[in-house]
Amino acid sequence: MNRPPQAAQNLSEPTIKLTEGWHCLHLYYTVDPAALNQISESDRAAAREQIEQILNPHRADAPERVQTSIVTGHRADLGLMILDPDPLKIDSIPTAIRATALGPALKRTCSFVSITEVSEYVPTVEQYAEKLRLDGTDPSDVTYQAKINAYEQRLPAMNRQRLYPDIPPLPVTSFYPMNKIRHPQANWYTEPFSVRSALMAEHATSGIKFAGRVSQLITASTGFDDWEWGVTLWSRAPEHIKEIVYTMRFDQASARYAEFGPFYVGYICDAIDALKHLKL
Ligand code: 76R
């Protein structure tokens, strides 16, 4: 009764690619100073050039998206976010880094495996129209149809961005995993769809206030990693990260049902600058 709609039975060719959307991998590395000291400067220089090329998002056979960031704090020094239709193309990046002379000095301390998706709570045009009516817009009002038309026009591009995201040109990124809890007193998964949908609509309304300051990508990881979603935020300035996470904790969907994993804050830069900064 409360179950999400099942996908139509898919008997197409077996494949490791998704029917729609991309695989996504977040990787975090720390630098091991003892291992680094064992590597000669000439080997390091050659490896730096190789890694710069491996992480170059513009090289011919690069994955669709590759983002490098400098991460502060003890959990990581270097962060990567990689998206592509082919999970093995994504995996070839850490493999290639490991195979360079700097490989032994770069320890993977965290990874997160997920896929892009269009959430079941993204309103259809019909659901959007119904919400307008419930919010008091009169269907005979000219703005009613105009709003519906605008949403209908916007929706395909918004869904494309969820499935095949462009990385926004913003300097700060924050990543954290999250779940919706299954506690006897607050179990997201026993709530009917209508309740979950209303809570997610409240969540969307509170999120929209950050338009222009924060962009977000929610990737799904149920069955792929230990948490249910990865939350990737990008912001125009660091304080917006704190503000959005703080503010959205008051949404009922988060206040009552969400739990969060460790947070990784990074500053986006080219691979060459990240390697320089890390004194590799
Ligand atoms: O994508 C959309 O804009 C449609 C509305 C929407 C959905 C369906 C939306 C809007 N989110 C959706 C789904 Mn979200 N979101 C989070 C977090 O820190 C927290 O409290 C939780 C982490 C943030 C910061 C955030 C931001 N959202 C989801 C889902 C999937 C649920 C599912 O499918 O079961 C999760 C886990 C989740 C979590 N969300 C927005 C934002 C922001 C800023 C918006 C408004 C975006 C905009 O339209 O401008």
Side-chain angles (χ1 to χ4, degrees):
M1 196 180 15
N2 295 334
R3 291 175 188 278
Q6 297 293 298
Q9 195 183 18
N10 181 351
L11 292 179
S12 55
E13 278 299 295
T15 174
I16 61 169
K17 295 186 180 164
L18 301 161
T19 309
E20 56 172 14
W22 285 340
H23 291 268
C24 178
L25 180 65
H26 290 76
L27 282 173
Y28 292 94
Y29 288 91
T30 55
V31 177
D32 178 337
L36 188 62
N37 284 338
Q38 303 293 309
I39 308 165
S40 72
E41 176 45 39
S42 63
D43 281 354
R44 284 197 206 184
R48 280 198 300 270
E49 267 182 36
Q50 286 168 340
I51 294 175
E52 194 192 323
Q53 196 46 27
I54 294 163
L55 296 179
N56 177 358
H58 307 298
R59 77 177 145 88
D61 53 349
E64 290 289 342
R65 305 283 179 268
V66 181
Q67 176 189 266
T68 310
S69 57
I70 294 169
V71 182
T72 63
H74 77 284
R75 285 198 208 117
D77 296 312
L78 176 70
L80 301 180
M81 180 183 186
I82 313 163
L83 295 119
D84 196 78
D86 182 351
L88 297 184
K89 191 173 203 179
I90 293 178
D91 206 57
S92 70
I93 294 225
T95 312
I97 292 174
R98 196 193 59 211
T100 69
L102 278 167
L106 283 165
K107 306 272 184 223
R108 268 192 285 182
T109 49
C110 172
S111 67
F112 194 80
V113 181
S114 59
I115 57 176
T116 62
E117 69 164 6
V118 175
S119 163
E120 65 192 285
Y121 305 108
V122 172
T124 61
V125 175
E126 293 71 33
Q127 287 165 337
Y128 179 80
E130 190 192 340
K131 187 172 182 307
L132 285 181
R133 289 192 298 275
L134 290 174
D135 289 350
T137 313
D138 184 341
S140 62
D141 193 328
V142 280
T143 61
Y144 175 76
Q145 199 52 49
K147 280 186 179 166
I148 294 172
N149 291 348
Y151 187 72
E152 194 165 15
Q153 299 254 303
R154 247 186 2 253
L155 193 57
M158 281 158 57
N159 284 343
R160 215 165 30 249
Q161 172 62 17
R162 290 170 183 126
L163 290 170
Y164 310 103
D166 277 321
I167 293 179
L170 297 171
V172 186
T173 184
S174 171
F175 169 76
Y176 52 100
M178 72 171 277
N179 287 336
K180 290 278 171 61
I181 62 171
R182 299 191 307 274
H183 186 276
Q185 302 305 318
N187 187 335
W188 180 254
Y189 294 92
T190 57
E191 298 293 355
F193 181 77
S194 56
V195 169
R196 286 179 275 131
S197 199
L199 291 170
M200 289 310 290
E202 183 213 7
H203 163 88
T205 306
S206 98
I208 282 166
K209 301 197 179 98
F210 290 87
R213 284 178 291 157
V214 181
S215 277
Q216 97 284 13
L217 179 70
I218 308 300
T219 49
S221 43
T222 307
F224 282 73
D225 214 312
D226 297 345
W227 296 79
E228 293 170 346
W229 293 277
V231 181
T232 306
L233 305 176
W234 292 275
S235 75
R236 191 166 284 280
E239 62 268 29
H240 305 316
I241 298 283
K242 195 229 79 175
E243 201 187 336
I244 191 171
V245 175
Y246 178 72
T247 305
M248 296 191 82
R249 284 194 174 179
F250 290 91
D251 301 348
Q252 279 303 300
S254 292
R256 192 160 156 76
Y257 297 99
E259 64 181 358
F260 302 100
F263 285 72
Y264 290 81
V265 163
Y267 301 101
I268 291 160
C269 63
D270 291 339
I272 188 166
D273 294 327
L275 299 181
K276 232 181 250 164
H277 177 84
L278 295 175
K279 301 202 183 329
L280 289 173

